[in-house]
Amino acid sequence: MPSNFYSQRASVTLSNGKNMSGQKEIPRLSFFAPTFFYLLPPAPSSTETSQLSDNQTSAIDLSTTDPTPIFEHFRGSYGTELLTAAVAHFNVFGVLANQPKSFDDFRNALGLAERPAVVMVTALRAMGLVTKNDDRRLRLTALAAEHLSPGAAFEVSDYIGLAAMSPGVLEIAERLRTNQPADVSGDGGAAFIFRQGIKSAMDQENLARHFTLALAGRAKNVAPVLADRLPMDGVNQLLDVGGGTGIYSIAMLQKHPKLRAIVLDHAEVLKVAAEMAENYGVADRLELREGDMFSDSLPTDCEAILLSNILHDWDVPQCQQLVERCAAALPAGGRLVIHDVFLNDELDGPLPIALYSAALFTLTEGRAYSQAEYRGWLTEAGLTPGEMLPTLIHCGVLAGGK
């Protein structure tokens, strides 16, 4: 995937004929044809799509503008914080000034675990400050060597260092050093993730409601596009793992009137999903099932399993475990659908995704991953990956068939 993949902006024409500025026109993806990455024929007729009642809230109406730039501006602060931390707290450019280093030598010199080192290096490569030699060693670019190397004639490190003690910089430096997510709830736990052995803000009703609805803000924009892009041919029931409010399943149910879905999540989150299912008029076809995606049994009667913006919350071993669990639960011919953001396979951008990866890193145990990483996990789990197609706000959809 080219580094400017997500910055190519022209126009999207969706199957309902609406046009959305902000992305290139995207072909449809078929997962359930014999070769499931062939492109689908023209859009389905209106009889194949749910007809919403006048008083039913729609989850498949598209916004008239593309909100992606808003998210890019919002996440831009992570660029400032990472760069300042690299200069003032980790001496990254001093470490690389004398000679290139392997990734492991680099992270050991900084005292970083693998995950924070990947997040930092990806961002610095996306900024054009660090690159790799032919032998895959990290080195400074000409830009960084001239302006960020200690003692360089045109060095600006002290200027950047003026922000060294700002709260955001101190916070991300601490996250990098400890490789632990921020404790937003103030009780020694994590904010947006559930895992046995740690406290989670999502176990507290008020915080769970607040965070779940906040995260739904982006999902409400993306869900209509995903429902339009993702064919459900041959699918009677969809399992939405960690589905939160259920908005992605709700959009699918409205798009496909014969479909049923199960949202698997924790109790406090499912209270919000129950309200959403009623508001959107799909409660009769949406089952809300309490469970832990890492330890509880997954249903085996769902022809498609959706992991929408789930894997980026977890480190590599947990991602591999979850993909394997989902693959094992699929029937023959089923599909595991990964809907997420995608870094370049070289882990050198795009910059908006690299900065989003930093945001994920500070709040979860994960980061953004590349298409190559996802494909590797799908293949290891015995699935055949298809092609990735973008949806909205830097997200894309990649499926593996069983």
Side-chain angles (χ1 to χ4, degrees):
M1 185 168 60
S3 61
N4 66 341
F5 185 84
Y6 285 102
S7 63
Q8 297 175 359
R9 291 187 179 154
S11 128
V12 160
T13 303
L14 300 176
S15 69
N16 60 6
K18 294 186 178 180
N19 182 275
M20 179 184 300
S21 62
Q23 304 231 343
K24 290 186 72 174
E25 185 169 342
I26 303 166
R28 285 184 165 267
L29 182 66
S30 175
F31 304 138
F32 297 93
T35 305
F36 61 88
F37 46 84
Y38 283 175
L39 301 183
L40 280 176
S45 67
S46 59
T47 59
E48 295 173 288
T49 302
S50 291
Q51 301 298 307
L52 305 183
S53 61
D54 292 339
N55 61 351
Q56 185 176 350
T57 304
S58 173
I60 54 178
D61 285 346
L62 298 160
S63 62
T64 58
T65 56
D66 180 356
T68 301
I70 296 173
F71 286 84
E72 292 179 354
H73 295 315
F74 172 68
R75 295 167 183 159
S77 62
Y78 287 95
T80 301
E81 293 162 1
L82 272 174
L83 177 59
T84 306
V87 169
H89 292 275
F90 293 96
N91 189 31
V92 165
F93 302 98
V95 168
L96 291 177
N98 295 326
Q99 64 179 9
K101 290 186 180 295
S102 69
F103 175 77
D104 284 338
D105 286 345
F106 170 78
R107 70 179 185 87
N108 288 335
L110 270 59
L112 296 179
E114 182 174 354
R115 184 177 72 109
V118 169
V119 169
M120 176 182 281
V121 169
T122 300
L124 295 177
R125 293 184 71 188
M127 293 175 190
L129 300 175
V130 172
T131 188
K132 284 187 176 181
N133 284 339
D134 292 339
D135 62 0
R136 312 299 293 170
R137 290 178 176 270
L138 297 171
R139 65 171 177 84
L140 300 183
T141 62
L143 174 65
E146 185 171 22
H147 299 290
L148 293 172
S149 292
F154 296 99
E155 184 189 3
V156 298
S157 300
D158 287 345
Y159 184 91
I160 292 172
L162 293 172
M165 303 307 292
S166 65
V169 173
L170 293 174
E171 174 67 18
I172 203 163
E174 180 66 11
R175 302 279 68 77
L176 290 164
R177 288 193 182 99
T178 63
N179 193 26
Q180 295 294 323
D183 174 18
V184 174
S185 62
D187 64 355
F192 301 110
I193 57 173
F194 291 103
R195 181 171 60 78
Q196 291 182 355
I198 64 171
K199 295 180 180 179
S200 174
M202 303 296 273
D203 282 321
Q204 303 174 39
E205 183 172 4
N206 290 339
L207 287 173
R209 183 177 184 84
H210 172 73
F211 289 141
T212 300
L213 290 173
L215 294 173
R218 181 181 68 159
K220 287 181 180 179
N221 283 273
V222 181
V225 185
L226 178 62
D228 189 88
R229 293 283 138 242
L230 183 63
M232 300 301 286
D233 311 59
V235 178
N236 297 307
Q237 186 158 246
L238 169 71
L239 174 61
D240 188 355
V241 177
T245 61
I247 189 63
Y248 290 107
S249 288
I250 289 167
M252 294 292 182
L253 292 172
Q254 289 190 347
K255 186 76 173 178
H256 305 281
K258 296 181 180 180
L259 181 68
R260 301 188 66 84
I262 301 170
V263 170
L264 179 73
D265 217 311
H266 285 249
E268 296 302 334
V269 174
L270 291 180
K271 291 177 182 178
V272 180
E275 297 174 15
M276 297 277 280
E278 290 290 342
N279 292 341
Y280 284 92
V282 296
D284 59 328
R285 292 188 288 136
L286 183 61
E287 177 186 344
L288 305 178
R289 185 175 298 188
E290 182 181 354
D292 187 313
M293 59 189 176
F294 289 109
S295 59
D296 290 332
S297 297
L298 301 179
T300 57
D301 57 349
C302 297
E303 295 86 357
I305 298 178
L306 175 64
L307 292 171
S308 185
N309 293 299
I310 295 298
L311 294 175
H312 66 215
D313 286 347
W314 303 101
D315 207 352
V316 172
Q318 289 73 38
C319 290
Q320 293 171 317
Q321 177 190 359
L322 189 53
V323 169
E324 289 172 359
R325 296 195 84 229
C326 291
L330 283 170
R335 302 291 181 262
L336 174 57
V337 180
I338 296 172
H339 181 241
D340 219 305
V341 297
F342 297 88
L343 287 168
N344 298 337
D345 287 350
E346 279 292 309
L347 300 183
D348 58 359
L351 182 58
I353 311 302
L355 299 186
Y356 181 44
S357 185
L360 293 167
F361 167 78
T362 62
L363 293 170
T364 73
E365 294 185 350
R367 61 173 175 86
Y369 295 101
S370 67
Q371 193 176 154
E373 289 172 298
Y374 284 121
R375 288 179 178 278
W377 301 334
L378 290 170
T379 301
E380 289 169 4
L383 304 179
T384 303
E387 63 175 315
M388 190 279 289
L389 291 178
T391 53
L392 191 68
I393 313 180
H394 302 129
C395 292
V397 61
L398 174 68
K402 187 170 183 178

